[in-house]
Amino acid sequence: MIYMSIDSITLEQLKALLSEHDSTVSNLSNAVAFLNQNLSNINWIGFYSFNYQTNQLDLGPFQGKVACVHIKNGEGVCGTATAKKEIQNISDVKKFHGHIACDENSKSELVTPLIKDSKVLGVLDIDSPITNRFSDVDQLKIKKAVQIITQVIDK
């Protein structure tokens, strides 16, 4: 079941929104707010940036309940997406070994790495209170949104 209202027009709106500013923090903040407004049945959405000095993800702009500030590379869904440089679409987080539960209401999770010039810059993490929330179509649309977002990140 598709719960998203992200289409090609919405992706163009995201691109236009982010093209006007040079600040990475401002762009990530607006991107997460924009996606939060356009996604239904989610309870947390945010960015983690990858810190190569500490080999961990550090919390960035987000919307939702308070969150883990640091996630070690390779741990949890976000750390796994970073280590593997692959999208993690977890239909039931309780079945994911090593899941880091910041919000016990989260049932499924979609984590998409932000990769620029073969380097992981971070991840976009989206949690839902619904099991099996993210379809393959959802995953593809979020991947396209992340490609737009990654273009405006200065690193």
Side-chain angles (χ1 to χ4, degrees):
M1 177 175 273
I2 298 174
Y3 296 103
M4 298 181 66
S5 60
I6 291 183
D7 55 19
S8 59
I9 293 171
T10 308
L11 290 171
E12 287 301 318
Q13 290 172 333
L14 176 64
K15 191 173 187 177
L17 174 69
L18 301 181
S19 68
E20 298 179 17
H21 308 287
D22 293 333
S23 167
T24 296
V25 172
S26 296
N27 279 327
L28 292 179
S29 297
N30 274 334
V32 78
F34 182 83
L35 291 171
N36 191 47
Q37 290 173 344
N38 285 283
L39 297 171
S40 60
N41 296 311
I42 64 170
N43 59 326
W44 198 92
I45 182 169
F47 292 98
Y48 282 92
S49 61
F50 189 70
N51 183 329
Y52 279 88
Q53 293 177 328
T54 61
N55 195 38
Q56 67 185 11
L57 291 161
D58 297 327
L59 182 63
F62 72 94
Q63 294 198 355
K65 291 184 177 182
V66 296
C68 302
V69 176
H70 306 289
I71 299 173
K72 292 180 183 177
N73 191 19
E75 293 188 4
V77 180
C78 291
T80 299
T82 303
K84 292 184 174 184
K85 293 185 178 183
E86 294 176 354
I87 295 172
Q88 299 295 301
N89 187 348
I90 309 303
S91 60
D92 184 350
V93 295
K94 300 213 185 300
K95 294 180 181 177
F96 185 88
H97 179 72
H99 175 253
I100 301 169
C102 293
D103 183 350
E104 287 297 322
N105 292 321
S106 293
K107 304 286 187 234
S108 59
E109 187 169 3
L110 179 65
V111 179
T112 307
L114 287 75
I115 300 172
K116 189 171 190 177
D117 300 325
S118 301
K119 184 177 178 181
V120 176
L121 303 179
V123 298
L124 172 62
D125 181 16
I126 308 172
D127 293 358
S128 173
I130 299 169
T131 305
N132 297 313
R133 161 63 180 85
F134 303 103
S135 70
D136 291 341
V137 173
D138 296 330
Q139 181 177 313
L140 180 61
K141 289 180 180 183
I142 290 299
K143 182 179 179 181
K144 288 179 181 180
V146 164
Q147 289 169 341
I148 291 167
I149 294 163
T150 303
Q151 292 174 3
V152 300
I153 296 175
D154 295 325
K155 290 224 178 182

